[in-house]
């Protein structure tokens, strides 16, 4: 049996022209989006440089932390703190926190999975559930905002925090407050 000989397909060539035009328009649109995304990256990079380097450096050299412009706009330079525990350093970070008296920052979550009719069992202790064969999942984490506040506090108090373990980033950041009319 020759399937190619028995199958017939009728192609509307006018439709293929419309399809081709639409595909070309899609490609053109995708290219424009890519170009705009690249331009946005460049603008964000310029913003970061101005906000975290250029303006803070100029204001530091002038010996000021804030200034009010003629139009009523207020410009301030304040410290900015960021921290994030890299996945590859999680155990090391948790060990450091525990060894240095900050283990309470670590949230220890236990996830218990139950069927619909097992509400009473859900109230039992984790060890009892494991003995009964229930699926128990345990995760540990430090909330991002808690870590950021902790790092900021430690640095401001002059205490040592391992920057590489906690992904610490400290910079001055410019804040511009426009006059409300």
């Amino acid at each position: 049996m020759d399937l190619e000989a028995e199958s017939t397909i009728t192609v509307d060539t006018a439709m293929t022209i419309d399809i081709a035009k639409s595909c070309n328009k899609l490609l053109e649109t995708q290219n424009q989006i890519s170009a705009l995304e690249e331009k946005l990256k460049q603008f964000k990079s310029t913003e970061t440089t101005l906000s975290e380097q250029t303006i803070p450096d100029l204001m530091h050299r002038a010996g000021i932390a804030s200034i009010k412009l003629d139009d009523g706009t207020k410009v301030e330079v304040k410290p900015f703190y960021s921290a994030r525990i890299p996945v590859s350093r999680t155990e090391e970070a948790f060990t450091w926190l525990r060894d240095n008296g900050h283990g309470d920052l670590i949230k220890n979550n236990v996830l218990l999975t139950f069927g619909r009719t097992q509400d009473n069992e859900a109230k039992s202790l984790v060890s009892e559930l494991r003995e009964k064969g229930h699926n128990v999942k345990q995760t540990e984490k430090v909330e991002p905002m808690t870590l950021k506040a902790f790092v900021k506090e430690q640095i401001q108090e002059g205490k040592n925090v391992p920057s590489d373990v906690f992904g610490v980033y400290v910079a001055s950041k410019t804040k511009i407050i426009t006059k409300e009319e």
Side-chain angles (χ1 to χ4, degrees), residues 163-176:
S163 297
D164 54 339
V165 174
F166 293 102
V168 176
Y169 175 72
V170 179
S172 293
K173 205 166 208 170
T174 304
K175 182 178 181 181
I176 298 178

Side-chain angles (χ1 to χ4, degrees), residues 10-70:
T10 306
V11 176
D12 182 351
T13 55
M15 290 301 295
T16 59
I17 292 170
D18 290 342
I19 292 169
K21 285 181 182 178
S22 292
C23 289
N24 287 332
K25 180 69 176 169
L26 173 60
L27 287 172
E28 179 184 325
T29 301
Q30 289 172 336
N31 288 336
Q32 289 173 343
I33 289 170
S34 293
L36 288 171
E37 286 173 342
E38 185 58 38
K39 192 73 172 169
L40 180 60
K41 281 183 192 176
Q42 292 170 1
F43 277 120
K44 287 185 177 211
S45 176
T46 300
E47 176 193 34
T48 299
T49 300
L50 288 167
S51 177
E52 295 181 13
Q53 294 173 6
T54 306
I55 296 170
D57 289 348
L58 289 169
M59 290 180 69
H60 178 71
R61 284 191 286 181
I64 56 176
S66 68
I67 188 171
K68 192 169 188 177
L69 305 178
D70 289 339

Side-chain angles (χ1 to χ4, degrees), residues 73-92:
T73 300
K74 185 176 180 181
V75 181
E76 298 177 335
V77 173
K78 293 185 173 184
F80 171 78
Y81 300 88
S82 177
R84 181 187 61 81
I85 299 171
V87 175
S88 63
R89 311 284 305 259
T90 302
E91 277 307 309
E92 187 178 355

Side-chain angles (χ1 to χ4, degrees), residues 59-128:
M59 290 180 69
H60 178 71
R61 284 191 286 181
I64 56 176
S66 68
I67 188 171
K68 192 169 188 177
L69 305 178
D70 289 339
D71 67 357
T73 300
K74 185 176 180 181
V75 181
E76 298 177 335
V77 173
K78 293 185 173 184
F80 171 78
Y81 300 88
S82 177
R84 181 187 61 81
I85 299 171
V87 175
S88 63
R89 311 284 305 259
T90 302
E91 277 307 309
E92 187 178 355
F94 288 179
T95 299
W96 187 92
L97 288 169
R98 288 182 177 111
D99 291 349
N100 289 276
H102 305 290
D104 58 331
L105 294 174
I106 302 169
K107 301 290 182 215
N108 194 341
N109 298 314
V110 177
L111 176 65
L112 306 173
T113 305
F114 294 94
R116 294 181 197 180
T117 61
Q118 296 177 305
D119 290 339
N120 291 334
E121 288 182 48
K123 296 175 186 174
S124 301
L125 297 171
V126 172
S127 61
E128 292 174 6

